[in-house]
Amino acid sequence: MTTEIFVTPQWLMDHLNDTHIQVLDARLLPPGQELVRDVEAEYLAGHLPQAVFFNIGQLSDTKAPYPHMLPRAENFAVAMRELGVDHEKHLIVYDEGNLFSAPRAWWMLRHFGVENVSILAGGLRAWQQAEFPLASGETFLAPTQFESNIVHDDVIPLTKMLLLSHEGGTQIIDARATARFKGEVDEPRPGLRRGHIPNSLNLPWDQLVSQGCLKDNADLRAEFRRAGVDITQPAVVTCGSGVTAVVLLLALYQLGQQDVGLYDGSWGEWGSRDDLPVRP
């Protein structure tokens, strides 16, 4: 069975009590907003019924020097077991409705071997607009036997990024805003240089999004074409911390291109290193 990338709020409402469905709240705040908002408190105040909190920050490698780096497979498996997430079920992930972080949760789960993962189209906002019920407080589920199984290692390390940037052969696509890509503004995270990886292309992630979902395929193709991306060729995606880059990966996946890697260190790593080349 082919799992749909997106499911609608109505579909999820109709299947919410199915035993093979599990819902994960994957809300994440953009850098800087954590100073004025508490995303975990927002989850506790209102979330989809039976949804556990898939805290991307805490589920990342907290010992890494760069934000949102993938954890070790065994650590991720332990965390999922404790949350009660079953890798054999159809997992539905959602964010607050901007498609900012749900794709990262979708990608993390698939990277670690979950076969059936979908994103709630429109996220929490669409669910509320449909006037479907919310729950409050923490969701507690019985521990499971989640197994991590990395079938395809699509994470690109710094050493390979240096080679790709210097020698070419694979498109590098940066999902950050154009002003950041061009080095016209400071990065939201302190201590990072301005600019971009040499020989990379720029396609801001939000240009692919409409109402918390990907644009239709014709519009996606047009956006990639304008950015100079050949969607028939392999690519590596990057951004500020490996989160919104997955929106590009998701769009390419929807268009049939699955040969896409993710530079997980992204600008959080590259922009912090004085020994790496930067282009304005």
Side-chain angles (χ1 to χ4, degrees):
M1 183 184 73
T2 301
T3 303
E4 295 291 335
I5 298 177
F6 291 94
V7 298
T8 66
Q10 185 62 61
W11 183 93
L12 182 55
M13 185 63 193
D14 292 342
H15 295 273
L16 193 59
N17 294 317
D18 291 2
T19 57
H20 68 285
I21 296 291
Q22 275 195 302
V23 184
L24 287 70
D25 186 310
R27 279 178 274 182
L28 179 72
L29 299 176
Q33 286 199 22
E34 66 272 6
L35 300 176
V36 294
R37 293 173 58 189
D38 183 339
V39 72
E40 188 164 1
E42 292 179 14
Y43 160 79
L44 293 172
H47 55 79
L48 268 65
Q50 307 166 39
V52 296
F53 186 40
F54 189 92
N55 190 325
I56 291 174
Q58 292 183 10
L59 292 171
S60 301
D61 183 356
T62 56
K63 296 182 179 179
Y66 314 113
H68 306 137
M69 299 290 287
L70 273 180
R72 295 174 63 87
E74 55 268 32
N75 293 344
F76 185 80
V78 169
M80 292 299 98
R81 291 170 196 157
E82 292 176 350
L83 275 179
V85 177
D86 188 337
H87 71 276
E88 294 185 341
K89 291 189 176 183
H90 183 183
L91 306 183
I92 313 296
V93 298
Y94 71 91
D95 55 29
E96 60 184 340
N98 50 5
L99 206 63
F100 174 76
S101 56
R104 174 71 186 195
W106 173 89
W107 177 80
M108 289 176 71
L109 290 160
R110 286 171 51 84
H111 174 82
F112 287 118
V114 180
E115 294 185 4
N116 298 319
V117 191
S118 298
I119 298 171
L120 177 62
L124 178 64
R125 185 177 301 122
W127 183 266
Q128 291 176 298
Q129 288 173 346
E131 299 184 346
F132 292 146
L134 292 176
S136 60
E138 189 170 358
T139 298
F140 294 98
L141 301 177
T144 61
Q145 293 300 311
F146 189 99
E147 299 295 334
S148 290
N149 180 27
I150 301 175
V151 179
H152 303 290
D153 193 356
D154 49 1
V155 179
I156 309 300
L158 174 61
T159 50
K160 187 171 181 179
M161 285 301 297
L162 276 166
L163 188 66
L164 293 177
S165 173
H166 180 68
E167 297 186 358
T170 299
Q171 303 168 105
I172 302 172
I173 319 170
D174 191 322
R176 291 177 299 155
T178 299
R180 292 171 62 189
F181 179 83
K182 292 182 176 180
E184 297 171 345
V185 297
D186 288 335
E187 286 292 303
R189 294 183 177 87
L192 300 182
R193 295 178 293 166
R194 294 185 180 191
H196 62 265
I197 299 170
N199 297 315
S200 57
L201 304 167
N202 180 221
L203 177 52
W205 68 275
D206 55 358
Q207 292 185 15
L208 303 179
V209 177
S210 176
Q211 297 181 336
C213 196
L214 289 176
K215 292 180 177 179
D216 65 40
N217 287 357
D219 287 341
L220 291 179
R221 292 190 186 96
E223 294 289 356
F224 280 112
R225 186 168 55 250
R226 279 192 287 268
V229 176
D230 183 347
I231 64 173
T232 69
Q233 297 301 311
V236 174
V237 293
T238 181
C239 59
S241 66
V243 174
T244 57
V246 185
V247 178
L248 273 60
L249 183 150
L250 186 73
L252 288 166
Y253 182 86
Q254 178 168 295
L255 293 173
Q257 176 56 270
Q258 299 188 32
D259 191 358
V260 184
L262 172 67
Y263 173 32
D264 206 31
S266 284
W267 198 249
E269 179 177 34
W270 195 286
S272 69
R273 296 272 300 263
D274 292 333
D275 58 333
L276 298 178
V278 169
R279 293 291 181 270

